Structures are given as C-alpha cells and as structure tokens.
Amino acid sequence: MKVDFTRWLPAIAKDSYRKTALSVAGVAALGGLALAPTAAAAPVTSGPHQGAVAAIDLATGKAATSAHQDEQPVESGLTTGSATGKPPAGKPSRAQLIPHGIEGAQSRVPLDDAQLANARAIVDAAKKTGVGDRGAVIGVATSLQESKLYNLGHLGAYNDHDSQGLFQQRPSSGWGTPDQITDPEYAATAFFTALKNVGGWQDLPLTTAAQTVQVSAFPYAYAQWEEQAADVVQQLW
C-alpha cells in the first residue's frame, strides 16, 4: 500500500541548508570515476576518497555486496567515537545508542564534509521529531546502507526504480516529490515519522526497525552500520 507521508509533514523551506542531490551528471568532473556520482552536495575539501567511491558503487547497485565482504573496515578519525569508552559531557552513552548490542560484522567508511553535513541533518531531524539518540542511530545507519550518507539524485540506469535521496525513498510509494526527498531535512523527517508508526520500534533490533520502514530487498544489511552510526551520533548529538 502506498502511503502519502507528505500529509503529515509541514512544508520545508528551501534555504541555504538544502543540499543539491548528487547525480550522474557530474561524473566526468571526477576524472575517471566512471558511473559514480559527483560529490557536489556540500562543500568538500577534495574529491571522493576510494572508500566512499566503493560505498557509492554498492549503494547504486554497481557492485554486489559479496564482492566487498572480505575488505577490512576503514578507520576514520571522524567516526571512531570515544577512545576511553566514556562519552564526552552531554553526549549519549554507548549503552543508550546501542541498547541491544551489535548484530554481526560491522562495516565502516571514512566520511567527507558532505556526508557529515547529511548526518547532522539526520541527527537534527531526530531531535525535532522526538525519536531521540537511538532513533538517530537507526536513521544514520539506514542512510549509510542506502546511500552512504550521500544525497543521491536520480542515477539513470543505475537507479532502483525511482529511489532518491539519503534514504532512497520513492515518490511512487508516497514519500514525496523528487525535490522533497532530496531535501535532507524533509527526507529524515519523513523517515522518522514512519519509524514512529512502527509499534515498539525502540525495543527492536536496528535492522528490524529500519527494514520495517524501508522494506528493502536486503533486510539484514542495515545491521552492519550500527557501530559507526552510533559513533557519528555521539559526536554530533
């Protein structure tokens, strides 16, 4: 059943916080990174690093997940969390962020400025919608799986139907217009609005909560990002 989430959401103004969606139109500017979208969503200090390119390839269907299963996790100073295990003052604890423990092997990619800006939009939406830090972890992990925190526009032949944005939401499924779902604030608010309609979502494993909203063909893939998502939320909360 198609659900029109737009009737629950206020109109969101297009201001300087709005990020332009990534599309295949800027591929040539990356100099040989064929078929990967350009990182134009926000100011970036350099072109996409190889880890991000590989991640986008996965998100856009260029590479099978199994092809990357033997890769070692990539550590990043931006996403490693508290070295002491104690959260900084005013930040949520690990137990709050991962109350049910992680499920299975964890993946990790370094994050550039565009990805961090999109993660911040998700965290801000989690606060505004009242899903709290645990909801923020579910949101960031979901976006890491769906788009690697890149605001993806329509990718032509590599699109999964009409999926776009941080959460690969589909206009044809009632998530909103292409302009709306490629607005990080709108997309995250729509995701959390749907999450709040999942009964007992706070007590569900992350991958179950995310899958109930997303209805993905790979329902267990979200679990691999829980640890990195928790690190990101702890830093940005």
Side-chain angles (χ1 to χ4, degrees):
M1 180 180 69
K2 296 181 180 180
V3 180
D4 183 7
F5 292 96
T6 61
R7 61 196 174 103
W8 298 328
L9 302 172
I12 298 174
K14 296 180 180 179
D15 55 20
S16 60
Y17 191 61
R18 171 70 186 273
K19 306 297 186 298
T20 301
L22 309 184
S23 72
V24 293
V27 170
L30 297 183
L33 298 180
L35 302 178
T38 178
V44 183
T45 55
S46 63
H49 41 67
Q50 290 302 309
V53 172
I56 296 172
D57 287 349
L58 282 178
T60 55
K62 276 189 59 189
T65 303
S66 60
H68 295 265
Q69 286 180 343
D70 296 330
E71 293 182 359
Q72 294 298 313
V74 180
E75 293 294 333
S76 166
L78 295 172
T79 58
T80 50
S82 172
T84 64
K86 295 182 179 180
K91 303 289 187 178
S93 69
R94 195 74 165 181
Q96 290 174 285
L97 297 168
I98 310 179
H100 311 300
I102 60 172
E103 295 181 273
Q106 296 294 291
S107 297
R108 188 178 290 270
V109 292
L111 303 180
D112 62 24
D113 291 347
Q115 291 163 296
L116 284 172
N118 290 330
R120 186 175 295 280
I122 294 172
V123 170
D124 288 346
K127 292 179 178 180
K128 291 177 182 177
T129 57
V131 297
D133 46 41
R134 176 57 180 170
V137 172
I138 296 172
V140 172
T142 299
S143 184
L144 277 166
Q145 172 58 27
E146 296 288 359
S147 67
K148 302 309 174 284
L149 285 171
Y150 280 111
N151 190 20
L152 300 176
H154 200 287
L155 300 174
Y158 291 93
N159 241 53
D160 178 12
H161 302 285
D162 54 344
S163 303
Q164 297 183 52
L166 294 177
F167 295 91
Q168 291 294 279
Q169 293 159 332
R170 298 178 59 187
S172 63
S173 294
W175 285 101
T177 67
D179 280 348
Q180 287 174 324
I181 63 177
T182 52
D183 179 316
E185 182 181 356
Y186 177 97
T189 300
F191 175 83
F192 291 131
T193 299
L195 180 65
K196 289 166 69 174
N197 285 326
V198 176
W201 66 265
Q202 300 94 331
D203 300 318
L204 296 174
L206 181 147
T207 197
T208 304
Q211 170 64 7
T212 304
V213 175
Q214 298 293 102
V215 195
S216 168
F218 304 97
Y220 302 107
Y222 303 105
Q224 66 184 307
W225 302 106
E226 185 161 9
E227 192 170 67
Q228 180 168 16
D231 289 345
V232 170
V233 171
Q234 187 179 73
Q235 292 171 27
L236 298 180
W237 193 258

